[in-house]
Amino acid sequence: MNIALWLHRCGLSHPQMPAVAVGTRAVLTYGDLAERAARLAGALRTQLELQAGDRVAIVAKNTPAYVELLHGVWHAGCVAVPANAKLHGAELGYILEQSGARVCFASPGLDTDIAPHAPDTLAHLITIGSLAYEKLMTADAIDVVPRSGGDLAWLFYTSGTTGRPKGAMLTHRNLNWASHAYAAEVDPVSPGDAILHAAPMSHGSGLYIMPHVARLGVQVIPESGGFEPAEIIALFNAWPRISMFAAPTMIKRLLTQSADCNVENIRTLIWGGAPMYVEDALAALDRFGPRLAQIYGQGESPMTITTLSKQDIAVRDHPRWRARLGSAGKPYACVEVSVADRDDRPVAQGEPGEILVRGEVVMAGYWRNAEATAASLRSGWLHTGDIGLFDEEGYLHLKDRSKDLIISGGSNIYPREVEEVLLKHAGVREVSVIGRPDRDWGEIVVAYVVGDASPAELDALCLAHIARFKRPKDYVFVDALPKNNYGKILKTELRERDAARRR
Ligand code: AMP
C-alpha cells in the first residue's frame, strides 16, 4: 500500500486536529495538510508531468513544508529524495544527478546554492514558500496513486562517512514496517502526541513523521529549524506528551542546560545514530528520568535493527541493568539479526562479528549501484559494516564500524571500549580513538582528546579499567574532532590527519 493513505484517512476523519506546529503554534490541521498534499500531487502529475516512480528531491532545513512535500510526493506515486541541507551545492548536485530527480524543492537560499550545480536531468527547481510553490497547492487534488509494498518511496542518501553518498532504496513496505515497529516497541503514539523535529528531517528525524501521522500526532518544528538546547527545553515545557529523536551529542548538550525542564511532559527521548557512552546515558537518566529509549538502525534498515526499551533503561535494580545500558538492546520483532564471520557464518554467542540483518525493513538495494547492492545484500542479508556481539541474554553490544577496528600486535581492539574509559575523566569532553600504522605493532592505539586532562591521568584510568595492551600509546589534544554534517565523528578523516601530522 501507499503510505500516503495514512494522511489521507486522517484528513477525512479528523480534519480539525492539529497536524503540524512551528514552536508552540499549530500551523496546519490534518484537513489542511491532507488537502495540500493531494493538490500538490495533482500539480506534480499534471502541471510538472511526473510519472509514478519519478524522483522528487527535497533540500530543506526542518520546515513544516517537509511534511506536506513528502506526502504530496508519495500521494502522486513518486519517490522522495530528501537531501541534507548542510551539504555543499556541488554535493547536492551529485545527489540530484545520481537520483535522476526531475523536480527539486529547496528552501530559500539553498535554491541559489543548488542552481549552478543543477544537472540537465533536473527540469524544475522550486523554492519552498515562493509564489510558484503556493500555486502548486491550488491545483486540482487527485486520488492517492496506488502503490505496492515493493515500490520505492524514499531514496535515503547515506551520510557518507566514507566516499560518495549512496541512495538506499526504501520501499513503502519498508517504511510501513519501520513505522509499526516504532509504535509497537519504542513509543506508542496517541492522537495529539507531539514529535519534536530537532534532528534533520532529511535523515533520522524524518522517519518519525510517518508513525505520528498514522496516529494523528503533531509534528513540531522548532522556530530555529534545528537544535538549540534552550529552545528544545522550552518546547518540552510547552507540549504535553512530547517525544524527540536525538543523536547522543544532542542529549549531552541538553544536559548542560540549567533551565527548568518539566520532564513529566516528555513521553520518550530516543537516542541513536551513534554510540552513547554509558556515563552519558546515566547522566541523561538522572536528568530526564525513565523516559529514554535507544534505537540502532541505519539508512539501509531505517530505525529498525535493535532497540533498548524505556523499561530496560529504567530498571536500576535489575542485576543486568548496567550491562544492558551499554548495549543497543534486542532485535525488533520484525527482523532477524545475526553476528557473522567473513563468510557470513554465525559466530558463537559472545564472539564479535559483523552484524547482518534480514527482514521487511531492509532496503531493496542502492539506487543505480548494482555493485554496492550486491556487496551489501549478499546471501540475502544486509551487511551493516558494524561489529557487535550478542551477550548471553540476547542483547546486542555494538563495537565499532569494521573499518575502525584496531589490530595491534595481533590483538583486536575496539576503539569504543577505550573511549568509554577515557570519557570517565571529568575533564574529557570528547574523544575518538584510532589506529596508527606502526612497523612493530601493525597499528598502535592513539586517542584524540578534546578537553583538559594529562596523559598520565588518562593512562591511570585505562590501567584501572582495561587490559594494558588497549591503552593508548599516544594522546593528541585538539580543539575539535572532524565531524560530518550529521555530527558523526569522521574517523577516516582523523586517521588521514593523523598521518599528515606525522609526515
Ligand atoms: P546512518 O545510516 O547515517 O543513520 O548511520 C548508521 C550507522 O550509525 C550505523 O551503521 C551505526 O554504525 C551507527 N549507529 C546507529 N545507531 C546506533 C546506536 N544506537 N549506537 C551506536 N551506533 C549507532
Side-chain angles (χ1 to χ4, degrees):
M1 65 167 270
N2 187 332
I3 49 166
L5 278 172
W6 295 343
L7 173 59
H8 172 68
R9 291 173 190 156
C10 292
L12 291 178
S13 65
H14 292 79
Q16 304 304 336
M17 289 267 300
V20 185
V22 175
T24 54
R25 191 168 38 93
V27 293
L28 280 174
T29 62
Y30 269 95
D32 295 336
L33 180 64
E35 183 178 340
R36 285 173 73 84
R39 289 183 185 277
L40 173 62
L44 291 175
R45 294 302 294 258
T46 51
Q47 295 175 19
L48 305 186
E49 299 179 333
L50 296 189
Q51 306 292 316
D54 280 348
R55 275 79 56 214
V56 178
I58 306 171
V59 185
K61 300 181 188 122
N62 288 2
T63 156
Y66 233 106
V67 189
E68 67 193 17
L69 280 169
L70 281 174
H71 284 88
V73 169
W74 293 330
H75 193 119
C78 297
V79 182
V81 185
N84 181 353
K86 289 188 190 153
L87 292 179
H88 186 275
E91 295 169 308
L92 291 167
Y94 172 78
I95 290 178
L96 291 174
E97 185 180 0
Q98 211 272 334
S99 65
R102 298 270 320 281
V103 178
C104 174
F105 291 99
S107 300
L110 295 176
D111 49 358
T112 44
D113 288 351
I114 293 168
H117 304 280
D120 293 343
T121 39
L122 188 74
H124 306 275
L125 177 59
I126 298 166
T127 307
I128 295 169
S130 64
L131 281 178
Y133 180 82
E134 283 305 325
K135 193 152 173 284
L136 298 175
M137 304 295 170
T138 61
D140 288 340
I142 58 169
D143 290 340
V144 175
V145 173
R147 297 273 77 193
S148 70
D151 285 327
L152 292 189
W154 183 321
L155 285 187
F156 195 104
Y157 275 85
T158 54
S159 51
T161 45
T162 47
R164 290 213 141 176
K166 299 189 284 285
M169 296 193 283
L170 302 183
T171 64
H172 287 268
R173 182 184 298 118
N174 292 153
L175 298 182
N176 196 335
W177 275 91
S179 302
H180 279 83
Y182 173 78
E185 298 192 43
V186 181
D187 190 28
V189 183
S190 298
D193 285 358
I195 179 75
L196 179 55
H197 293 288
M201 292 168 91
S202 59
H203 208 74
S205 207
L207 296 165
Y208 293 73
I209 296 174
M210 291 80 76
H212 286 84
V213 165
R215 295 283 296 143
L216 287 162
V218 190
Q219 320 282 334
V220 178
I221 322 287
E223 298 262 7
S224 65
F227 179 75
E228 295 295 336
E231 183 184 21
I232 299 303
I233 301 280
L235 290 173
F236 286 164
N237 291 341
W239 287 92
R241 296 191 53 77
I242 190 162
S243 290
M244 180 176 85
F245 166 72
T249 48
M250 293 162 68
I251 304 256
K252 253 183 107 163
R253 282 185 63 200
L254 284 182
L255 293 175
T256 62
Q257 289 295 301
S258 54
D260 280 345
C261 177
N262 178 6
V263 293
E264 298 294 326
N265 274 358
I266 301 174
R267 213 164 78 239
T268 313
L269 273 183
I270 305 109
W271 89 74
M276 170 91 111
Y277 299 102
V278 174
E279 295 300 314
D280 295 335
L282 288 172
L285 190 56
D286 285 343
R287 176 85 199 269
F288 296 110
R291 298 175 181 84
L292 294 151
Q294 180 190 182
I295 62 163
Y296 159 52
Q298 55 176 207
E300 293 81 348
S301 183
M303 298 163 122
T304 331
I305 300 175
T306 61
T307 178
L308 186 66
S309 68
K310 279 202 271 198
Q311 293 79 1
D312 274 347
I313 293 175
V315 283
R316 289 174 188 259
D317 53 358
H318 191 282
R320 299 274 307 168
W321 169 66
R322 228 187 136 98
R324 289 177 178 180
L325 202 56
S327 80
K330 293 186 295 182
Y332 281 86
C334 62
V335 291
E336 285 174 86
V337 179
S338 170
V339 172
D341 65 15
R342 275 167 204 261
D343 299 318
D344 296 341
R345 285 183 306 237
V347 298
Q349 179 264 310
E351 292 293 317
E354 184 174 6
I355 299 166
L356 312 185
V357 188
R358 188 160 72 174
E360 303 293 343
V361 288
V362 171
M363 66 164 182
Y366 292 113
W367 177 254
R368 292 183 175 161
N369 193 338
E371 204 181 320
T373 301
S376 172
L377 296 182
R378 66 181 188 273
S379 61
W381 291 86
L382 169 69
H383 291 67
T384 62
D386 292 320
I387 299 180
L389 61 83
F390 276 119
D391 68 16
E392 63 269 37
E393 286 193 308
Y395 285 68
L396 184 70
H397 295 253
L398 292 176
K399 295 291 182 187
D400 289 280
R401 305 286 300 165
S402 45
K403 60 183 185 313
D404 296 332
L405 177 73
I406 302 169
I407 304 179
S408 185
S411 300
N412 287 358
I413 299 167
Y414 294 99
R416 182 172 169 185
E417 197 185 344
V418 185
E419 290 161 0
E420 290 269 11
V421 171
L422 298 175
L423 277 166
K424 289 180 190 290
H425 191 292
V428 173
R429 287 199 297 282
E430 284 189 307
V431 64
S432 186
V433 167
I434 57 167
R436 177 188 294 159
D438 182 86
R439 203 181 306 166
D440 295 332
W441 295 93
E443 280 179 301
I444 56 165
V445 179
V446 177
Y448 273 75
V449 181
V450 182
D452 301 313
S454 72
E457 289 161 355
L458 295 175
D459 257 352
L461 258 179
C462 290
L463 288 170
H465 289 95
I466 45 173
R468 286 189 90 83
F469 72 90
K470 299 180 184 172
R471 194 165 43 118
K473 291 212 165 37
D474 190 12
Y475 296 94
V476 185
F477 293 85
V478 287
D479 292 336
L481 296 168
K483 293 185 183 156
N484 73 6
N485 283 313
Y486 289 116
K488 293 196 192 206
I489 294 172
L490 294 169
K491 288 205 188 236
T492 306
E493 191 172 322
L494 197 55
R495 283 189 287 263
E496 282 163 11
R497 283 193 197 178
D498 190 64
R501 271 184 72 237
R502 306 184 53 74
R503 251 177 237 136

